[in-house]
Amino acid sequence: MNLEDMKKVWDSDSNQTLYVIDQFKMDQMVNKKSMSANRRASYVENFIIIMNVGIPIIIFTLTGLCDSIGFGEYSIGLLTLATAAGTYYYKKVRQANQLNEGDSVLNNLDQAIHNATYQSRLSKFLLTWYIGGIAILSIFHLILEKTNLWFILMITVTFIIALVVGRWEQRCLHDKKRNELIDLKRKLQE
Amino acid sequence: MTKQEQDTIFNQWLSEFKPLLFKIVRVYASSRSDDNDLFQEVVIQVWRSVPNYKGESSSHTWVYRVALNTAIKWSSRNKQKNHELLNDDLVLIPSEHKSNEKLDWLYHEISKLGKVEKSLTLLMLDGFSYREMSNILGITTSLVGVKISRIKHHLQERAQNL
């Protein structure tokens, strides 16, 4: 079979219906999935921002009413507000790089790589800054309170495990996805 | 654009370009559950792309681009699922049609190609010019030519064993 024959065989397929669409289920599916991944990402980002602005407000209000606000409260307040600011920044970066599926395959891959890089960086930011920051403040607070050394060690190990597991998840999920897209782009341009 | 306008254009495109979407799904998906998964993903992206369509290219080229972009990215993150789908999840149902041995062979050979080569083969068989392929893929015309030449050589070599 030469190429011309292949084209004839291929063209003969244009009039055949390989599948039948269940229109009702399709309409249901489109309605259900029309909440885009972008909107889902927005909900998560907005939730993180609201929580991290709300937490210091609650801490300052409760602590201010019951006692004076100390170093610990200020530190947590700053940490959470910085997390909210960082998340807002990454949200704006993501929105600026919206995927346009009608674009050329190469441009679309570039945008997908940008988005995957964004997700990886946001994950790294939240993991290192947030968990790391809370770990340092918590351990510092325990030391100041002269807590039992074994308890401090146990808490330290728990935070280290959380960081390691988080980094592993980030490498397996976000970095892997980004590397696959980069590999695809490379194959397209070879 | 209102949702109703978007739905109208989407339904029009779906009716007109159904065979094109089916071909892409058949080439990129390897199992029944993958067929449905990919088709749903393609349909969603085509629906979302409607407001972005400005008429700079034909609607056929636009839908082709959207479907290819979706299929290429889908296949890069999806391993074969091979799970049983519930009937409620099946949007796409294989229809009864006369089997064509040569056509089945062609689909089988194309599905074994790399993700990028699959898209080029589809475009070549659907009669797109090198320039049009270059616009759709975003690579130079000369690179399109080199890749197409390799694909033609490969398919003709495989066809000799048929």
Side-chain angles (χ1 to χ4, degrees):
Chain A
M1 186 166 51
N2 61 27
L3 210 59
E4 284 309 310
D5 291 334
M6 286 184 211
K7 282 187 179 170
K8 282 179 193 161
V9 165
W10 186 256
D11 287 340
S12 74
D13 185 38
S14 299
N15 298 321
Q16 287 192 26
T17 310
L18 294 167
Y19 305 96
V20 170
I21 298 173
D22 186 323
Q23 193 65 40
F24 176 70
K25 279 183 194 164
M26 201 194 67
D27 291 340
Q28 272 190 321
M29 185 269 300
V30 170
N31 283 330
K32 187 176 152 189
K33 289 194 181 184
S34 62
M35 184 178 96
S36 66
N38 285 338
R39 278 183 230 164
R40 272 198 294 272
S42 272
Y43 289 148
V44 171
E45 287 155 349
N46 291 343
F47 176 75
I48 291 172
I49 291 166
I50 290 166
M51 287 301 293
N52 283 283
V53 168
I55 287 169
I57 292 172
I58 293 168
I59 289 174
F60 288 144
T61 309
L62 289 176
T63 319
L65 286 171
C66 303
D67 204 340
S68 63
I69 298 170
F71 171 76
E73 289 76 21
Y74 279 121
S75 307
I76 289 177
L78 266 171
L79 177 71
T80 51
L81 285 172
T83 305
T87 308
Y88 180 76
Y89 164 75
Y90 278 114
K91 176 179 171 169
K92 288 298 162 195
V93 166
R94 179 184 61 75
Q95 286 173 339
N97 291 299
Q98 294 287 5
L99 271 179
N100 179 0
E101 292 295 347
D103 213 336
S104 72
V105 170
L106 187 62
N107 281 350
N108 195 264
L109 277 173
D110 272 334
Q111 288 172 304
I113 290 166
H114 270 300
N115 285 353
T117 306
Y118 149 81
Q119 281 174 336
S120 175
R121 282 184 188 159
L122 178 63
S123 167
K124 223 181 266 188
F125 164 72
L126 288 173
L127 194 66
T128 313
W129 170 256
Y130 202 50
I131 295 179
I134 287 177
I136 290 167
L137 282 175
S138 301
I139 293 162
F140 185 62
H141 185 70
L142 287 171
I143 293 170
L144 280 179
E145 294 288 306
K146 295 186 175 126
T147 313
N148 185 288
L149 183 64
W150 288 112
F151 186 72
I152 294 172
L153 277 172
M154 189 183 77
I155 295 295
T156 309
V157 166
T158 308
F159 274 120
I160 290 170
I161 291 170
L163 271 167
V164 166
V165 167
R167 276 293 286 146
W168 173 79
E169 188 221 11
Q170 190 203 335
R171 264 197 300 270
C172 290
L173 214 67
H174 302 294
D175 291 352
K176 187 181 172 195
K177 183 185 168 182
R178 187 169 53 97
N179 292 338
E180 278 170 354
L181 289 168
I182 290 170
D183 188 51
L184 203 48
K185 182 184 169 183
R186 183 184 52 79
K187 282 181 184 161
L188 182 61
Q189 292 178 304
E190 271 174 357
Chain B
M1 181 180 282
T2 64
K3 188 172 183 294
Q4 203 174 351
E5 284 168 348
Q6 187 173 356
D7 285 343
T8 306
I9 295 171
F10 167 70
N11 285 321
Q12 205 178 311
W13 282 357
L14 192 63
S15 162
E16 205 179 328
F17 303 126
K18 225 175 353 185
L20 151 67
L21 300 185
F22 290 165
K23 280 184 195 177
I24 291 175
V25 163
R26 189 171 170 186
V27 158
Y28 277 92
S30 51
S31 69
R32 181 92 183 274
S33 55
D34 283 352
D35 279 358
N36 264 272
D37 197 40
L38 175 55
F39 181 73
Q40 289 180 32
E41 190 63 34
V42 167
V43 158
I44 282 291
Q45 295 305 334
V46 169
W47 182 84
R48 282 186 197 149
S49 78
V50 170
N52 295 331
Y53 177 62
K54 306 290 177 220
E56 285 157 355
S57 60
S58 69
S59 51
H60 178 250
T61 303
W62 177 266
V63 171
Y64 217 125
R65 237 186 257 161
V66 172
L68 278 183
N69 274 327
T70 309
I72 287 171
K73 290 204 297 282
W74 177 90
S75 66
S76 76
R77 67 171 192 258
N78 244 55
K79 304 299 167 196
Q80 265 186 321
K81 287 184 181 173
N82 283 328
H83 59 257
E84 282 297 312
L85 276 183
L86 299 172
N87 277 334
D88 283 351
D89 299 335
L90 293 176
V91 168
L92 210 60
I93 303 153
S95 72
E96 287 177 21
H97 64 276
K98 252 165 99 174
S99 159
N100 180 327
E101 198 190 307
K102 287 182 180 173
L103 186 63
D104 289 343
W105 174 88
L106 195 49
Y107 269 113
H108 176 69
E109 287 302 318
I110 295 170
S111 66
K112 288 195 300 186
L113 295 171
K115 299 168 191 91
V116 171
E117 285 72 22
K118 279 179 193 173
S119 63
L120 276 158
T121 310
L122 286 169
L123 291 168
M124 175 188 72
L125 290 170
D126 277 332
F128 283 87
S129 68
Y130 281 20
R131 174 171 282 216
E132 285 166 328
M133 287 192 228
S134 163
N135 282 336
I136 287 171
L137 294 171
I139 55 176
T140 62
T141 329
S142 54
L143 186 53
V144 167
V146 166
K147 286 179 180 292
I148 291 287
S149 165
R150 280 187 213 146
I151 291 166
K152 279 180 184 175
H153 181 71
H154 171 81
L155 284 175
Q156 280 173 329
E157 238 182 28
R158 297 289 301 166
Q160 277 168 12
N161 301 330
L162 191 64

